[in-house]
Amino acid sequence: MEKILLTKANGHQVPCIAEFPEGLEKLVIVVHGYDSSKESANAANLMRQLPGKGFGVLAYDQPHHGTAQAAEEELTVENCLDSLACVEDYLAERFPETELCYFGSSFGAYITCIYLATRPHRGCKAFLRCAAVNFPELAIDEGADDVELPDLFALYEQAKPEGVAMAFAHGACDSTVKVEAAIAFTDRFGYPLTIFPGEEHTISDFPESPIRVAQLAAELYTR
């Protein structure tokens, strides 16, 4: 495993870990969820499953998460978007001929969707696991007062990213982000959704589920 420390334009740092197999064909940026980190079980699963299929995998700490370098930065949507852009710029410079893809989980999926709709991006395939498509509602429930949180439904009505293939996976029993929210979003905007019966927010209650999630992501990335 390779450890990488990037520096953003604002001076804050983005710690990353990565697996870059020999002869990699594609690169996957893993965007973790709220109160998680680059060392999440989800990222570890992807680093086990995908490199053998020819994918490089890089996971990084979002602002106010993970190790001290990233934890020092305020958690805002713009700061999160800037961190993702910093990671993408690094990979594009290091592997200029390699296709970039995205894997976002929960809040990280929310950030990934905003990024693809509002920022310049090199990748055109994104897999979203337990996506917090209704994150502003969840933040209100937690007592947050950030009125600047974009409504993802409204944003995609106005600026759904063109030429970007997305696929979603969600636990049928998810008590953090109700599956009904994922169904509403994917139905409205025409994205495929795989529902995992009996699974909660991590889609890891059954041993085969994380493996299946990685397989679904790989299938999207290789189309």
Side-chain angles (χ1 to χ4, degrees):
M1 180 179 295
E2 184 173 341
K3 294 184 178 181
I4 302 159
L5 187 61
L6 306 177
T7 302
K8 297 165 64 172
N10 64 5
H12 285 285
Q13 294 183 309
V14 185
C16 312
I17 55 175
E19 291 286 355
F20 297 133
E22 291 293 330
L24 61 86
E25 299 175 1
K26 298 177 188 290
L27 290 160
V28 179
I29 302 173
V30 181
V31 191
H32 69 73
Y34 186 81
D35 201 26
S36 185
S37 75
K38 65 183 182 300
E39 284 90 5
S40 68
N42 174 63
N45 175 59
L46 295 174
M47 289 186 181
R48 285 193 302 269
Q49 303 294 331
L50 294 183
K53 303 178 187 295
F55 297 97
V57 180
L58 183 147
Y60 68 97
D61 285 331
Q62 294 217 66
H64 207 65
H65 287 77
T67 55
Q69 294 98 329
E72 294 170 355
E73 186 173 13
E74 182 183 4
L75 180 64
T76 68
V77 169
E78 287 303 309
N79 285 345
C80 290
L81 298 176
D82 288 344
S83 290
L84 179 48
C86 180
V87 170
E88 182 169 311
D89 288 344
Y90 166 78
L91 289 175
E93 181 176 353
R94 180 169 172 179
F95 303 97
E97 304 300 322
T98 305
E99 180 183 356
L100 296 179
C101 306
Y102 311 90
F103 189 111
S105 291
S106 191
F107 171 71
Y110 171 74
I111 292 297
T112 302
C113 288
I114 296 172
Y115 182 80
L116 293 172
T118 65
R119 293 286 189 99
H121 53 87
R122 297 173 178 84
C124 60
K125 296 172 184 173
F127 193 88
L128 297 314
R129 185 190 69 100
C130 298
V133 293
N134 59 340
F135 185 74
E137 297 176 13
L138 303 177
I140 290 173
D141 290 343
E142 293 297 324
D145 58 359
D146 186 353
V147 297
E148 301 301 323
L149 290 172
D151 180 319
L152 201 57
F153 286 81
L155 176 60
Y156 270 55
E157 289 285 2
Q158 300 174 355
K160 177 182 174 181
E162 296 183 0
V164 177
M166 293 187 184
F168 289 70
H170 217 93
C173 303
D174 192 332
S175 58
T176 301
V177 182
K178 300 295 186 182
V179 69
E180 289 79 10
I183 293 171
F185 187 83
T186 54
D187 280 355
R188 182 180 300 186
F189 300 109
Y191 297 123
L193 168 65
T194 301
I195 298 176
F196 284 72
E199 283 287 1
E200 247 282 359
H201 191 58
T202 61
I203 313 187
S204 61
D205 292 326
F206 302 105
E208 65 274 14
S209 294
I211 297 172
R212 180 59 181 150
V213 167
Q215 289 174 338
L216 289 169
E219 289 170 8
L220 172 70
Y221 301 148
T222 53
R223 287 177 195 166

